[in-house]
């Protein structure tokens, strides 16, 4: 199930209160992936069109919206939750960083950061070479505008952190100064799109829950020109997403979960099936009638938050609660478009508690995800839906809690969540 093939899909949702966003496309290899300011991926909130095309130029699309969900409880047990889907009720994320004193922002900052920064590694390499040769200083070489405007520093006069986007500090003064000192952005891959967003500009419209005070730095990147591609051709069809979540508030968030939401439309509308591979930490979407050429999309969880106090060997290395022990993918759940025959408890979330239940392994009515059938009230409690192996009779779960449970039936219009938790988000903590 690790093959990655794509086919034409379609997306349908009522778009209300769409937030105007700046965007760019990651397009260094065979994938054209849309990245928006404000935390949305793979779609256009204004038009509703999808934005993940493979191969480039084929008009073959995968997925609707994708976004980060974060939720947890304060010391009094009150839920703080940031999540968004189709913007029917609005959004929980806005562009820009927060202040380091009270985790707030203003319209000036939001408008300033209503953008993304896109750079190729070649843009940076050319700048380094030409700066060393004096061509930048004498004006004969004009650097890429995104390199010059890279958000390396926050505005300390407005209470923002001094260090934001990563950069190589040539003279070690802590100030991003490409023209005067030759500083340059540090990106991953051969091409990257970078954006900064937060959850505390306005009251949350999507979940209705209280804000966390989270500032999120997102670098989306891909490989397409380096020598590593020759030995790893799958990278031509792969995109990477590096989230850096900073708790700018003075409050701890307990029982926190971080989750990737994805509307998993693939192929013909309404016949999606899902699966998870617990051992190798990935999830996938496929069509209900699986043939040799049908599309399959896999999403791997490469890094997660840390928990060194739960008494569990979370990373499977034989040690319990060692320093910096990562949780990885601890939950895989889903919910469905409210279609005929789908229980209400398994449909789209509408209030903050619904969102938190889904990321922590429960249905909207509080029923735990369970083994067998569609996962609703069927058997033993679990945190992973459909962990069976389609190609064998052996479950991907090392503990074999649900056996070789795979999704039965004809499939429907689903959205999935890959979650990690629970863990503690302390004031000033960084989750990557």
């Amino acid at each position: 199930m690790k093959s990655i093939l794509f086919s034409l899909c379609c997306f349908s949702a009522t778009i209300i209160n769409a937030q105007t966003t700046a965007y760019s496309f990651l397009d260094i290899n065979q994938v054209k992936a849309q990245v928006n300011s404000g935390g949305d991926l793979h779609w256009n909130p204004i038009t509703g069109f999808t934005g993940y095309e493979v191969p480039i130029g084929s008009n073959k699309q995968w997925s609707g919206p994708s976004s980060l969900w974060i939720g947890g409880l304060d010391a009094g047990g009150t839920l703080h939750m940031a999540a968004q889907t189709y913007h029917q009720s609005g959004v929980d994320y806005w562009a820009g960083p927060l202040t380091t004193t009270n985790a707030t922002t203003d319209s000036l900052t939001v408008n300033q950061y209503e953008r993304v920064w896109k750079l190729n590694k070649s843009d940076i390499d050319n700048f380094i070479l030409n700066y060393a040769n004096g061509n930048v200083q004498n004006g004969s070489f004009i650097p890429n505008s995104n390199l010059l405007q890279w958000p390396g520093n926050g505005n300390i006069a407005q209470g923002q952190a001094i260090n934001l986007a990563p950069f190589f500090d040539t003279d070690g003064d802590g100030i991003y100064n490409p023209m005067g000192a030759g500083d340059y952005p540090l990106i991953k891959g051969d091409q990257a799109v970078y954006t900064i967003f937060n959850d505390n500009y306005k009251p949350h419209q999507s979940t209705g829950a209280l804000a966390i005070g989270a500032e999120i730095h997102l670098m989306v990147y891909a490989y397409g020109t380096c020598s590593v591609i020759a030995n790893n051709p799958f990278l031509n069809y792969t995109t990477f997403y590096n989230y850096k979540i900073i708790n700018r508030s003075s409050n701890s968030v307990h029982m926190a979960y971080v989750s990737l939401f994805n509307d998993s439309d693939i192929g013909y509308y309404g016949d999606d099936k899902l699966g998870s591979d617990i051992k190798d930490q990935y999830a996938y979407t496929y069509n209900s009638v699986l043939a040799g050429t049908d599309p399959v999309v896999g999403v791997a969880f490469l890094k997660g938050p840390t928990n060194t106090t739960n008494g569990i060997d979370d990373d499977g290395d034989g040690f319990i609660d060692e320093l910096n022990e990562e949780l990885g993918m601890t939950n895989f759940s889903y919910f469905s478009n409210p279609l005929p025959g789908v229980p209400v408890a398994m449909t789209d979330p509408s209030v903050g508690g619904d969102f938190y239940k889904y990321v922590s392994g429960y249905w909207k009515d509080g029923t735990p995800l369970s083994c067998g059938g569609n996962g609703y009230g069927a058997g033993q409690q679990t945190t992973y839906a459909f962990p069976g192996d389609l190609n064998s009779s052996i479950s991907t779960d090392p503990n074999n809690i649900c056996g070789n449970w795979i999704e039965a039936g004809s499939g429907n219009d689903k959205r999935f969540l890959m979650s990690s938790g629970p863990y503690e988000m302390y004031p000033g903590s960084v989750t990557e």
Side-chain angles (χ1 to χ4, degrees):
M1 289 307 299
K2 291 185 179 179
S3 299
I4 302 178
L5 303 172
F6 297 81
S7 182
L8 180 66
C9 73
C10 55
F11 165 67
S12 176
T14 301
I15 308 299
I16 303 174
N17 295 323
Q19 181 185 27
T20 301
T21 56
Y23 64 88
S24 188
F25 290 97
L26 193 73
D27 56 4
I28 193 73
N29 56 22
Q30 289 299 308
V31 183
K32 183 179 180 181
Q34 182 165 337
V35 182
N36 301 322
S37 61
D40 284 305
L41 296 168
H42 304 163
W43 77 311
N44 187 316
I46 306 302
T47 65
F49 293 156
T50 60
Y52 197 100
E53 181 187 53
V54 181
I56 288 179
S58 68
N59 198 34
K60 294 181 179 181
Q61 305 280 338
W62 167 64
S63 181
S66 182
S67 63
L68 186 72
W69 291 14
I70 316 168
L73 310 176
D74 63 22
T78 302
L79 176 65
H80 294 246
M81 187 83 208
Q84 55 196 39
T85 55
Y86 313 100
H87 297 201
Q88 294 104 320
S89 301
V91 298
D92 284 3
Y93 293 123
W94 296 268
L98 298 172
T99 63
T100 60
T101 52
N102 56 7
T104 59
T105 187
D106 54 27
S107 59
L108 179 65
T109 300
V110 171
N111 291 333
Q112 177 186 355
Y113 282 84
E114 192 67 74
R115 60 169 298 180
V116 298
W117 290 261
K118 178 181 177 179
L119 283 169
N120 289 341
K121 183 176 181 294
S122 59
D123 297 324
I124 299 170
D125 291 341
N126 287 337
F127 170 80
I128 295 171
L129 176 62
N130 280 277
Y131 194 91
N133 292 334
N135 297 329
V136 175
Q137 299 90 319
N138 66 26
S140 63
F141 176 82
I142 305 301
N144 182 295
S145 60
N146 283 324
L147 183 149
L148 295 177
Q149 299 164 15
W150 187 250
N153 300 121
N155 189 333
I156 58 175
Q158 295 180 10
Q160 300 164 9
I162 183 63
N163 294 315
L164 294 178
F167 65 92
F168 185 82
D169 189 7
T170 303
D171 57 3
D173 67 351
I175 304 301
Y176 182 66
N177 183 9
M179 295 299 290
D183 299 340
Y184 54 87
L186 294 175
I187 67 168
K188 297 174 183 289
D190 293 320
Q191 185 184 81
V193 180
Y194 191 87
T195 189
I196 299 173
F197 57 102
N198 71 84
D199 85 318
N200 200 28
Y201 173 47
K202 295 180 179 179
H204 287 190
Q205 304 160 353
S206 176
T207 63
L210 294 176
I212 295 168
E215 176 181 308
I216 301 109
H217 300 190
L218 170 61
M219 184 178 292
V220 181
Y221 63 100
Y223 295 90
T225 59
C226 63
S227 60
V228 71
I229 290 290
N231 296 321
N232 301 279
F234 65 88
L235 290 176
N236 269 314
Y237 300 89
T238 304
T239 49
F240 293 86
Y241 305 82
N242 182 200
Y243 288 95
K244 183 179 179 182
I245 306 164
I246 306 167
N247 182 3
R248 293 293 192 202
S249 79
S250 58
N251 301 312
S252 291
V253 180
H254 309 288
M255 296 296 293
Y257 286 84
V258 59
S259 181
L260 178 69
F261 158 78
N262 212 312
D263 184 334
S264 57
D265 286 335
I266 184 172
Y268 294 104
Y269 175 76
D271 67 345
D272 306 322
K273 285 188 171 183
L274 306 173
S276 62
D277 188 304
I278 300 173
K279 182 177 182 293
D280 290 330
Q281 299 278 286
Y282 72 92
Y284 53 90
T285 301
Y286 62 102
N287 290 144
S288 59
V289 179
L290 193 62
T293 59
D294 280 356
V296 177
V297 177
V299 184
F301 208 114
L302 302 181
K303 183 178 176 65
T306 61
N307 189 328
T308 60
T309 61
N310 62 2
I312 300 173
D313 180 15
D314 297 294
D315 54 9
D317 65 354
F319 298 94
I320 295 176
D321 293 342
E322 72 270 20
L323 183 66
N324 298 321
E325 183 171 27
E326 292 183 14
L327 288 172
M329 183 178 72
T330 60
N331 298 66
F332 176 70
S333 58
Y334 76 95
F335 55 93
S336 300
N337 202 356
L339 301 171
V342 177
V344 173
M346 301 176 68
T347 58
D348 294 337
S350 57
V351 297
D354 296 345
F355 289 84
Y356 186 70
K357 287 187 181 77
Y358 277 133
V359 300
S360 55
Y362 293 83
W363 300 104
K364 286 198 301 183
D365 62 358
T367 301
L369 177 69
S370 54
C371 302
N374 60 10
Y376 181 71
Q380 183 175 346
Q381 183 172 352
T382 183
T383 58
Y384 299 96
F386 313 125
D389 189 329
L390 297 177
N391 299 314
S392 74
S393 59
I394 301 173
S395 173
T396 68
D397 180 3
N399 298 315
N400 201 32
I401 293 175
C402 292
N404 200 47
W405 173 33
I406 61 175
E407 184 175 359
S410 57
N412 63 20
D413 185 23
K414 298 185 183 69
R415 307 80 157 91
F416 72 71
L417 291 162
M418 302 172 68
S419 307
S420 187
Y423 71 104
E424 298 290 307
M425 290 180 65
Y426 298 108
S429 66
V430 178
T431 304
E432 189 171 3

